[in-house]
Amino acid sequence: MPSNASATQSQASDPTPATATNNKKMPYPKSDIRVNLDNHTSSTVYTSSSPVVGNVTITTKRDVRFDAIQILLIGSSKTRVVESLGTPQDVTHTLLKMAMPIPESSYPVPRVLETGHTYTFPFNFVIPNHLTINACNHPMESNRLLDQHVLLPPSMGNWEKDDMAPQMARVEYTIKARVLHQPDLGGSTLRIMEATQNLNVLPASVEEPPLSITEEDRLYTMCQSKSVRKTVLATKLGTLTAEGIQPGPAVLKSDGTGMVAPTNGQIRLKFEPASVDTPPPKVTNVYGKIAAHTFFSSGTIPNFPNMGHWNEQFVDHKRGVYSTTAALPPVSFKPNKWQQHITSTARRDSGYSTDNGREEPPAFDSDSGSSTNQTSSRRQQQRRRSSRQSTQSSSSSSSKRQPPQAPIYHTTTQEIQFALPVEKKTFIPTFHSCIVSRVYTLQLSLTVAIGSTTKTMSLVLPLQVMVEWCPPESDSAGLPSFETAVQEAEADEHLRPRVMHVPEDRYRETSVLPGYGA
């Protein structure tokens, strides 16, 4: 059999519970069947378009009659959930099944594996970029989810380093070699020998658009506000609000051993002081953790599990989620200067406005007496307005007086940079499949100080982990590129010989051309 034979991809099956028939003992246990991969070790990682080349060797201890040799590349996801009565239920979804064609000339005649003779059957697979459309045919809420479900998921649960996956969810890729025999014509086929070889797959992925997060998405905390006080019973110094911006993706190398570059992020801060004399806080430290969330189910998942309420949705099958965290290396940050702005209320009182309606920072000089006088005047106007409002609302017992706020506020954007702890953990890319999903969140703790007072702001932001795309090395003996194939097809069409034939009788010895008669 030629070593460059191509593999064919067959349809994937629907999620089905695992059965006990897969654990039957095979006959001929002393026979030796092995799957051998070229240039393969336990730490080898395969990515999109990676070749999987090797051979299957079979050596028997006695003559064995058979009908066919089967070599498969199988990808499957597996989940285990506990039913209401405490009985575990195992579910397997075969999402990829590629069969290597074996020509008839490779088989011995007659089809008997002779004692002591070693038979070799080469194979050549290529890790696909996508699954077939038959890999996912269940109802779902959006086409965008379908696009995710037909992407190749990464291996999960079988890495040398911890990939933060639970025992209840697995994604496996395996080369399987089988010797098949059909004792009776039209009867069932028996697997008399079988060998397997696991693969670690990290498929390439693309950057997804930022998530549209609402208050219903409880997995994330994009914004947090806190009152700042010197002590618990002290007067309020102001209100600090931190708002996180979804960072760009954390891009891994194709072998998963490191990151292409650190990831950048931003945190917007807003401080509303109770007095104009209160300075804005100072960022003293940023600490981060990354959390891996693995969602799994005994049935197909019709929506994105990280959006909304995963465990509160009404479904007819069991669901689960496993979350764990890992500390990030020190997060680097550089404090930026605060910008001072005038509140819209103070601007209306003072008659100050802009043509475009946006708030502009005033020219504030602490050494200028005129600025102090203007501030004092605005504060007097604000007191008079507050007095009028309190008089109007005194008849209502439910109204509460709010402490006067300063007519200014401060804003800044904190730039951060972080990396994943790839030396300690194995990070697989973010993915969504029919019964298993993996997403990540970035948990940031921001420490700020005003004098001797410190506050910690906590945010939970979405983070996509992806794998870079590495095009396969060019092979002069391999398939041509798409552009080359198109050019060759156009040339073949131009040089294709025309079919000539004798004209019909009605057009002979006349000057009338076919199709142009009167």
Side-chain angles (χ1 to χ4, degrees):
M1 172 183 174
S3 60
N4 59 350
S6 61
T8 58
Q9 185 171 348
S10 63
Q11 296 182 359
S13 66
D14 295 331
T16 54
T19 61
T21 58
N22 296 330
N23 298 324
K24 290 183 178 179
K25 293 184 178 180
M26 302 295 177
Y28 315 110
K30 295 183 180 180
S31 299
D32 185 23
I33 177 172
R34 297 184 180 182
V35 177
N36 309 299
L37 293 173
D38 297 347
N39 303 317
H40 177 83
T41 64
S42 59
S43 59
T44 301
V45 177
Y46 299 87
T47 186
S48 301
S49 300
S50 292
V52 184
V53 183
N55 60 70
V56 175
T57 58
I58 304 174
T59 305
T60 61
K61 300 297 183 180
R62 68 177 193 177
D63 292 350
V64 177
R65 184 176 297 276
F66 75 102
D67 290 289
I69 304 295
Q70 192 177 56
I71 305 177
L72 305 171
L73 170 58
I74 297 179
S76 60
S77 56
K78 303 177 180 179
T79 62
R80 167 172 285 193
V81 295
V82 179
E83 296 294 335
S84 57
L85 299 179
T87 304
Q89 179 184 7
D90 295 335
V91 178
T92 299
H93 176 212
T94 302
L95 48 91
L96 175 68
K97 188 175 183 180
M98 304 174 69
M100 191 71 199
I102 300 178
E104 293 293 328
S105 59
S106 299
Y107 290 114
V109 179
R111 296 201 177 184
V112 176
L113 301 175
E114 297 179 353
T115 304
H117 185 77
T118 300
Y119 299 87
T120 302
F121 300 90
F123 60 84
N124 187 353
F125 295 101
V126 175
I127 301 297
N129 299 325
H130 298 81
L131 304 173
T132 63
I133 194 64
N134 295 313
C136 178
N137 50 19
H138 63 88
M140 58 190 66
E141 296 181 356
S142 67
N143 292 331
R144 183 166 168 260
L145 182 62
L146 175 61
D147 295 338
Q148 294 290 323
H149 281 196
V150 295
L151 294 177
L152 200 69
S155 299
M156 187 174 72
N158 293 314
W159 296 89
E160 292 183 340
K161 290 188 295 186
D162 179 24
D163 63 353
M164 298 177 283
Q167 295 290 333
M168 298 81 74
R170 289 285 188 269
V171 178
E172 299 176 350
Y173 292 90
T174 306
I175 299 289
K176 287 189 176 183
R178 298 167 177 168
V179 179
L180 306 178
H181 180 49
Q182 189 177 22
D184 301 322
L185 184 63
S188 59
T189 301
L190 302 179
R191 284 178 283 174
I192 57 178
M193 296 186 210
E194 184 175 81
T196 61
Q197 175 64 57
N198 291 331
L199 306 176
N200 288 329
V201 177
L202 281 183
S205 49
V206 298
E207 182 177 355
E208 297 293 334
L211 299 180
S212 178
I213 298 174
T214 65
E215 295 181 354
E216 300 297 323
D217 306 318
R218 297 184 179 180
L219 188 63
Y220 308 107
T221 303
M222 304 298 294
C223 185
Q224 187 181 53
S225 295
K226 285 188 175 182
S227 298
V228 180
R229 304 174 186 271
K230 287 185 177 181
T231 61
V232 177
L233 302 178
T235 305
K236 177 180 176 181
L237 299 178
T239 301
L240 179 63
T241 302
E243 179 186 6
I245 308 300
Q246 180 174 342
V251 184
L252 301 171
K253 296 180 180 179
S254 59
D255 58 1
T257 58
M259 295 186 62
V260 175
T263 303
N264 299 318
Q266 290 184 341
I267 303 175
R268 295 174 182 170
L269 298 176
K270 180 180 180 182
F271 179 64
E272 300 171 281
S275 171
V276 293
D277 300 327
T278 304
K282 179 182 178 181
V283 179
T284 59
N285 187 31
V286 179
Y287 173 77
K289 294 190 296 184
I290 183 170
H293 308 274
T294 305
F295 300 89
F296 53 95
S297 173
S298 62
T300 56
I301 303 174
N303 48 21
F304 287 99
N306 56 315
M307 309 300 290
H309 312 298
W310 168 250
N311 288 322
E312 294 182 5
Q313 298 173 0
F314 179 78
V315 292
D316 56 358
H317 48 261
K318 294 296 182 179
R319 290 180 167 185
V321 59
Y322 176 81
S323 301
T324 184
T325 61
L328 296 178
V331 179
S332 62
F333 67 97
K334 183 179 180 180
N336 292 332
K337 295 183 178 180
W338 289 83
Q339 299 293 327
Q340 181 177 294
H341 308 266
I342 295 179
T343 60
S344 57
T345 303
R347 182 179 292 109
R348 288 195 299 269
D349 291 342
S350 63
Y352 177 82
S353 64
T354 58
D355 295 336
N356 56 12
R358 294 180 299 179
E359 300 178 6
E360 299 290 341
F364 185 87
D365 187 358
S366 59
D367 297 333
S368 172
S370 59
S371 176
T372 304
N373 294 334
Q374 292 176 1
T375 302
S376 177
S377 176
R378 286 195 298 269
R379 294 177 65 183
Q380 292 177 1
Q381 293 175 359
Q382 189 176 18
R383 293 194 192 96
R384 288 195 297 269
R385 184 176 66 257
S386 300
S387 177
R388 290 194 300 269
Q389 292 176 350
S390 61
T391 302
Q392 294 173 358
S393 60
S394 59
S395 59
S396 176
S397 59
S398 62
S399 63
K400 298 181 180 180
R401 293 185 180 182
Q402 299 294 335
Q405 294 289 334
I408 61 172
Y409 65 94
H410 309 271
T411 62
T412 187
T413 300
Q414 181 65 60
E415 306 283 345
I416 63 172
Q417 189 177 80
F418 62 93
L420 302 181
V422 292
E423 298 82 7
K424 300 179 180 179
K425 302 288 184 179
T426 295
F427 286 89
I428 61 177
T430 303
F431 75 94
H432 298 280
S433 66
C434 294
I435 59 175
V436 181
S437 290
R438 163 64 69 86
V439 299
Y440 296 92
T441 55
L442 178 65
Q443 300 179 359
L444 294 175
S445 297
L446 190 75
T447 304
V448 297
I450 301 182
S452 59
T453 304
T454 60
K455 280 287 182 180
T456 300
M457 311 294 290
S458 299
L459 300 174
V460 182
L461 311 180
L463 177 66
Q464 180 192 2
V465 176
M466 57 178 290
V467 176
E468 69 171 344
W469 165 256
C470 288
E473 298 180 359
S474 60
D475 185 2
S476 58
L479 297 175
S481 64
F482 177 77
E483 293 77 8
T484 303
V486 171
Q487 293 175 359
E488 292 179 354
E490 292 176 349
D492 292 342
E493 178 65 23
H494 178 72
L495 298 176
R496 182 175 61 87
R498 294 175 174 80
V499 179
M500 306 299 292
H501 61 274
V502 179
E504 300 177 9
D505 293 338
R506 59 194 179 101
Y507 294 118
R508 294 179 184 176
E509 300 178 359
T510 66
S511 60
V512 180
L513 296 176
Y516 290 90

